[in-house]
Amino acid sequence: MPDHPGVLQTFVWQKLDRAPVFPELTRFLEFWRREIEGPLHSVRVASSALIRPAELRYANGQFLLH
């Protein structure tokens, strides 16, 4: 809200991105810098579901279907 610079707002943006470069986040921040009047106070990146190599676990067992 440009009319109220003292008000700190939270903007939640949910999008998958590739760590550690974060190309989607970088594009969004560049758009914000160009197009939005309000400055950003801080950016926090937090996710346990960042795109990363698949985790494989081997199971020692056998399942039979009749």
Side-chain angles (χ1 to χ4, degrees):
M1 296 173 48
D3 298 337
H4 304 283
V7 175
L8 183 62
Q9 296 181 7
T10 300
F11 179 77
V12 177
W13 182 57
Q14 297 176 347
K15 190 147 183 137
L16 291 176
D17 211 348
R18 291 186 309 268
V21 180
F22 299 107
E24 292 291 332
L25 178 61
T26 303
R27 278 195 290 272
F28 174 74
L29 292 176
E30 285 300 315
F31 167 78
W32 188 287
R33 189 182 56 77
R34 280 191 325 268
E35 306 293 331
I36 309 290
E37 294 179 22
L40 289 173
H41 176 270
S42 60
V43 175
R44 183 182 307 170
V45 178
S47 175
S48 63
L50 291 173
I51 298 174
R52 58 183 178 253
E55 296 176 8
L56 299 175
R57 291 184 293 168
Y58 293 99
N60 187 11
Q62 186 178 36
F63 299 99
L64 299 174
L65 295 176
H66 293 281

